[in-house]
Amino acid sequence: MAFPATRADALARLEAFLPRAGRAYAARRNFDEGPGRRSAVSELSPAIRRRLLTEEEVARAAVAAHGLEAAEKFVQEVCWRSYWRGWLEARPAVWHRYLADVARLEDQLGRNSGLAAGFAEAVSARTGIDCFDAWVQELQETGYLHNHARMSFASIWIFTLRLPWQLGADFFFRHLLDACPASNTLGWRWVAGLQTQGKTYLASADTIRRTSGGRFSVEAPLATRAEPLPGEAPVHPAGLAPLPAADSDAPSGLFLHTEDLCAESITWPAPIRAVAGPTAIDGDPSDGKRAYANASLADGLARAAGHFGTAADRLPVDNLPVAIVDWARANGFTQLLTPHAPVGPVADRIALMQQACAAAGIRLVPVRRSWDSRAWPHATRGFFQFKTHIPDLVA
Ligand SMILES: Cc1cc2nc3c(=O)[nH]c(=O)nc-3n(C[C@H](O)[C@H](O)[C@H](O)COP(=O)(O)OP(=O)(O)OC[C@H]3O[C@@H](n4cnc5c(N)ncnc54)[C@H](O)[C@@H]3O)c2cc1C
């Protein structure tokens, strides 16, 4: 199954899905007919994740097609993503603790044979739980799972197989085309009862049978209780870090990355004279995810180059901090702009590039979209409170 890897293809998919984004979505979105047969959901998440399409335009298109009331459920789902990102952005320690946990647990896999055996059975689709084993295969083959499958998968992983949630989240992250530090990590935490204190998600065989259109019989027993995982040290929100202001007179270079591939719809604070991006996306272990990232990056760079009337340069990905300084100097830039990358691996790389630039007297200034600036400050408590701001956001 092909997920749209260019903006043009993603727009075409959005257009085709829009008639189903109203009341039909609210009624059918939990049904998962399986790969190649899904009609109730958009399957746009890989494109939205890299901002081939923005949350803002997808939400507004649904409202324009159906009105806010009928499109409410779809718009809310789109906004869950903005909510999760805003929530994590104010609490980067939750992401860094998760990364440290994954490293510790990977180390344990080499020493704890019971854990290693359970983990190997799960990720090689040998648990004997028909739906779970099918989802493992689908995830590895296509890089996508329906939301309901993700919830049930995570629940079975944690409460039936009794495996650490962090290893499950990492397994998702390695394969999902839409892998997102916020939606994935916080989605797993939500199922585990860590995100909404005391509230877990318990997968039910009946619900899986019903929502999968009878594809699964789910005869193997699933956990019947889902006790929240032991509490952890609370992380107090640090708030959104202020971004440095750009010099609006300085002709600037634009560095594009896969957190936001729609440079033409960002309000840039200074004139853009040249565009660059990495040669390739190298970090992903899954071939499919790497190929998707590279195809979407190529599309984003080509559009940005066309929009700003320049070529798109490619900078060696294995040494971006040095390459970006060389590129800025070769073009005579003292200021570079880049879309703000929320908490995650790209943000970590940008931080290193910023340090190298600063040492060379060049400013690398992240620019946040107005949608994020307006949405994220409301992600302080639960989604219930956040969603009251949705009408203003999409107005
Ligand atoms: C354990 C777990 C892990 C998840 N990991 C990710 C992830 O890494 N990346 C990711 O984008 N989503 C993640 N989700 C959320 C959700 O499952 C996917 O966004 C959705 O399944 C994508 O399919 P779709 O495009 O057909 O969604 P649709 O139902 O068509 O929804 C439209 C868009 O809204 C957004 N969206 C929908 N539901 C959610 C949600 N619950 N949370 C956040 N955004 C949502 C997506 O951008 C999606 O493309 C996760 C959910 C769970 C329970």
Side-chain angles (χ1 to χ4, degrees), residues 17 25 29 38 40-49 55 58 74-82 84 144-152 154 172-173 176-191:
F17 181 71
Y25 179 83
R29 73 196 167 93
R38 287 186 192 102
V41 293
S42 69
E43 297 192 330
L44 278 170
S45 53
I48 296 175
R49 160 71 184 100
E55 293 94 320
V58 173
F74 183 73
V75 171
Q76 278 180 6
E77 293 305 313
V78 172
C79 288
W80 262 104
R81 176 179 161 67
S82 306
W84 284 140
Y144 175 88
L145 286 179
H146 183 279
N147 183 54
H148 210 269
R150 295 184 203 210
M151 287 162 54
S152 298
F172 264 28
F173 200 85
L176 283 172
L177 299 186
D178 64 26
C180 162
S183 297
N184 186 51
T185 317
L186 304 183
W188 276 84
R189 286 171 55 85
W190 178 81
V191 171

Side-chain angles (χ1 to χ4, degrees), residues 110-359:
R111 292 183 283 108
N112 178 336
S113 56
L115 176 66
F119 177 77
E121 242 175 38
V123 300
S124 55
R126 287 185 287 112
T127 65
I129 304 171
D130 59 356
C131 53
F132 186 92
D133 291 345
W135 291 329
V136 167
Q137 282 170 349
E138 183 184 347
L139 174 64
Q140 289 176 322
E141 283 162 19
T142 70
Y144 175 88
L145 286 179
H146 183 279
N147 183 54
H148 210 269
R150 295 184 203 210
M151 287 162 54
S152 298
F153 184 116
S155 178
I156 293 170
W157 178 285
I158 298 167
F159 300 114
T160 300
L161 303 176
R162 307 202 77 78
L163 289 166
W165 72 267
Q166 298 94 328
L167 289 181
D170 182 58
F171 180 57
F172 264 28
F173 200 85
R174 285 165 187 270
H175 293 284
L176 283 172
L177 299 186
D178 64 26
C180 162
S183 297
N184 186 51
T185 317
L186 304 183
W188 276 84
R189 286 171 55 85
W190 178 81
V191 171
L194 295 168
Q195 195 63 22
T196 310
Q197 282 294 313
K199 191 165 181 273
T200 54
Y201 180 74
L202 179 65
S204 132
D206 277 348
T207 310
I208 295 169
R209 276 183 217 113
R210 188 169 47 80
T211 55
S212 65
R215 284 183 298 135
F216 305 121
S217 57
V218 203
E219 269 148 29
L222 303 186
T224 51
R225 288 166 65 84
E227 295 299 330
L229 297 188
E232 43 177 25
V235 169
H236 298 291
L240 295 181
L243 300 181
D247 173 355
S248 58
D249 294 327
S252 305
L254 165 63
F255 179 76
L256 205 60
H257 50 72
T258 52
E259 288 291 320
D260 196 318
L261 291 170
C262 206
E264 62 272 35
S265 66
I266 295 179
T267 307
W268 297 102
I272 305 272
R273 297 280 185 258
V275 174
T279 37
I281 305 300
D282 56 349
D284 293 322
S286 134
D287 290 346
K289 188 174 165 191
R290 224 172 26 250
Y292 184 84
N294 282 308
S296 55
L297 175 66
D299 177 64
L301 280 169
R303 274 182 289 103
H307 182 75
F308 293 111
T310 172
D313 294 319
R314 293 295 195 116
L315 310 181
V317 71
D318 51 356
N319 203 357
L320 280 173
V322 170
I324 190 105
V325 170
D326 290 348
W327 183 69
R329 283 188 174 140
N331 284 283
F333 296 136
T334 52
Q335 175 169 279
L336 303 174
L337 304 175
T338 191
H340 173 61
V343 169
V346 175
D348 293 346
R349 283 192 168 197
I350 301 274
L352 294 176
M353 292 163 72
Q354 271 179 311
Q355 281 170 20
C357 284

